[in-house]
C-alpha cells in the first residue's frame, strides 16, 4: 500500500492531538511530523517531541532557506512543517500533519495527493468543556481560540473527510479507516 500524507485539522481542543497520538502509538507504519514553532513550550512539552521550539530569528532563517512545506502565524507565533522530514519519511511510512486550515489547504496546493481530514466537535458546548478541562490555556487564550471556530468549521467543505469526535474510540477507528483507504470519500 502506498504511504499517505494525511493532514488533520480542527478547532483547538477538539481532540486532534489525542486521536493522532493514540493512532501513532498503535501503528508502527505511521508517524507524526513534528512542526517548528516560535511559541513557548507548555508544561510537559519537550523540544523535538511536540514541536521544535525555535526563536523567531531561527524560524525566519529556515523560512528563507525554504525549509518549510507550509507555515503560518497563530496567536502571534509562527508554526511550520519541515519539508525534508515529510519527504524522507513518506518513502517508508505514512505521515500525519496536525495543522490548521490555512496550512492544510497550502499543503494540498503543493501536494494534491495529501488527504485532508477535519475533526469537528459534537457541539460547541462540548468543545468549550474540553478546552477548559485541558487546563493549558488562560480564559483569554481560550476565548481567542474559540473566536477562530466559526471560520475553521466553515472550511470543512474543502476537506476530503470530516470526522466528528464524539466518542473517542469511534473517531480513532474512522481516522484509521481513512488512513487505510477503507473509508468512502464524501
Ligand atoms: P487538540 O489537539 O485538538 O487541541 P486535545 O487532543 O488536546 O485537543 O483534546 C482536548 C481535551 O479534550 C483533552 O483534555 C482530551 O483528553 C479531551 N478529549 C479528546 N477527545 C475527547 C472525546 N472524544 N471525548 C471527551 N474528551 C475528549
Ligand atoms: P498549539 O499552540 O495549540 O499547539 O497550536 C496552535 C495552532 O497551530 C493549531 O491550530 C495547530 O493546528 C497549528 N499548527 C501546529 N503546527 C503547525 C504547522 O506546522 N503549520 C501550521 N500552519 N499550523 C500549525
Amino acid at each position: 500500500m502506498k504511504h499517505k500524507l494525511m493532514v488533520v485539522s480542527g478547532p483547538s481542543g477538539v481532540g486532534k492531538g489525542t486521536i493522532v497520538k493514540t493512532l501513532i502509538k498503535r501503528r508502527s507504519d505511521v508517524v507524526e511530523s513534528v512542526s517548528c514553532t516560535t511559541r513557548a513550550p507548555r508544561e510537559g512539552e519537550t523540544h523535538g517531541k511536540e514541536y521544535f521550539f525555535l526563536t523567531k530569528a531561527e524560524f525566519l532563517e529556515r523560512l528563507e532557506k525554504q525549509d518549510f512545506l507550509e507555515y503560518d502565524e497563530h496567536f502571534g507565533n509562527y508554526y511550520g512543517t519541515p519539508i525534508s522530514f515529510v519527504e524522507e519519511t513518506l518513502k517508508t511510512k505514512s505521515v500525519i500533519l496536525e495543522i490548521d486550515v490555512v496550512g492544510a489547504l497550502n499543503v494540498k496546493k503543493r501536494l494534491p495527493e495529501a488527504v485532508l481530514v477535519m475533526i469537528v466537535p459534537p457541539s460547541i458546548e462540548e468543545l468549550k468543556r474540553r478546552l477548559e478541562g485541558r487546563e493549558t490555556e488562560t480564559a483569554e487564550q481560550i476565548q481567542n481560540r474559540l473566536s477562530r471556530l466559526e471560520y475553521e468549521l466553515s472550511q470543512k467543505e474543502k476537506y476530503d473527510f470530516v470526522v466528528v469526535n464524539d466518542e473517542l474510540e469511534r473517531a480513532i477507528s474512522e481516522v484509521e479507516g481513512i488512513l487505510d483507504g477503507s473509508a468512502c470519500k464524501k
Side-chain angles (χ1 to χ4, degrees), residues 35 39 42 51 70 72 74 79-81 98-100 145:
S35 296
R39 85 148 159 77
R42 292 185 190 130
Y51 286 104
E70 61 73 44
D72 201 2
H74 305 282
Y79 292 79
T81 306
E98 197 191 310
I99 54 177
D100 73 303
R145 277 156 198 257

Side-chain angles (χ1 to χ4, degrees), residues 8-12 16 35-37 39 42 45 51 70-75 79-82 98-100 102-104 134 137 145 148 152:
V8 174
S9 313
S12 187
K16 302 178 294 292
S35 296
C36 298
T37 183
R39 85 148 159 77
R42 292 185 190 130
E45 288 183 333
Y51 286 104
E70 61 73 44
Y71 80 100
D72 201 2
E73 195 179 342
H74 305 282
F75 320 113
Y79 292 79
T81 306
E98 197 191 310
I99 54 177
D100 73 303
V102 177
R134 191 166 68 179
E137 284 91 11
R145 277 156 198 257
R148 289 177 60 92
E152 286 167 327

Side-chain angles (χ1 to χ4, degrees), residues 37-38 54-62 73 76-78:
T37 183
T38 58
L54 306 182
T55 62
K56 193 168 172 190
E58 287 166 339
F59 193 99
L60 293 176
E61 195 185 318
R62 290 186 59 166
E73 195 179 342
N77 292 302
Y78 289 115

Side-chain angles (χ1 to χ4, degrees), residues 6 8 14-16 18-20 22-23 26 117-122 130 162-179:
M6 180 189 266
V8 174
V14 75
K16 302 178 294 292
T18 309
I19 292 173
V20 171
T22 311
L23 205 53
R26 289 182 193 169
V117 179
M118 181 174 287
I119 313 288
V120 297
R130 287 183 196 171
V162 176
V163 173
V164 181
N165 182 17
D166 39 18
E167 208 265 300
L168 186 59
E169 267 311 316
R170 197 208 57 75
I172 292 169
S173 307
E174 197 174 331
V175 175
E176 194 166 19
I178 296 167
L179 205 51

Side-chain angles (χ1 to χ4, degrees), residues 36-168:
C36 298
T37 183
T38 58
R39 85 148 159 77
R42 292 185 190 130
E43 182 135 350
E45 288 183 333
T46 29
H47 184 76
K49 199 162 166 244
E50 287 79 13
Y51 286 104
F52 292 105
F53 296 97
L54 306 182
T55 62
K56 193 168 172 190
E58 287 166 339
F59 193 99
L60 293 176
E61 195 185 318
R62 290 186 59 166
L63 185 61
E64 182 123 319
K65 288 190 195 145
Q66 308 207 327
D67 256 3
F68 297 118
L69 172 59
E70 61 73 44
Y71 80 100
D72 201 2
E73 195 179 342
H74 305 282
F75 320 113
N77 292 302
Y78 289 115
Y79 292 79
T81 306
I83 195 162
S84 47
F85 174 86
V86 173
E87 285 179 342
E88 207 38 52
T89 311
L90 275 176
K91 292 178 187 163
T92 54
K93 291 173 185 211
S94 288
V95 177
I96 301 186
L97 307 182
E98 197 191 310
I99 54 177
D100 73 303
V101 172
V102 177
L105 298 176
N106 283 336
V107 169
K108 188 86 172 176
K109 254 188 245 155
R110 261 181 94 169
L111 302 173
E113 68 275 23
V115 179
L116 305 193
V117 179
M118 181 174 287
I119 313 288
V120 297
S123 68
I124 308 298
E125 290 66 36
E126 174 59 17
L127 180 69
K128 284 184 192 153
R129 263 195 296 278
R130 287 183 196 171
L131 261 178
E132 284 160 7
R134 191 166 68 179
E135 293 183 341
T136 49
E137 284 91 11
T138 62
E140 192 192 339
Q141 284 169 326
I142 289 179
Q143 213 37 54
N144 204 341
R145 277 156 198 257
L146 287 172
S147 67
R148 289 177 60 92
L149 184 64
E150 206 175 314
Y151 167 72
E152 286 167 327
L153 296 181
S154 74
Q155 299 298 300
K156 69 180 183 202
E157 293 309 318
K158 297 180 181 154
Y159 276 63
D160 299 304
F161 297 92
V162 176
V163 173
V164 181
N165 182 17
D166 39 18
E167 208 265 300
L168 186 59

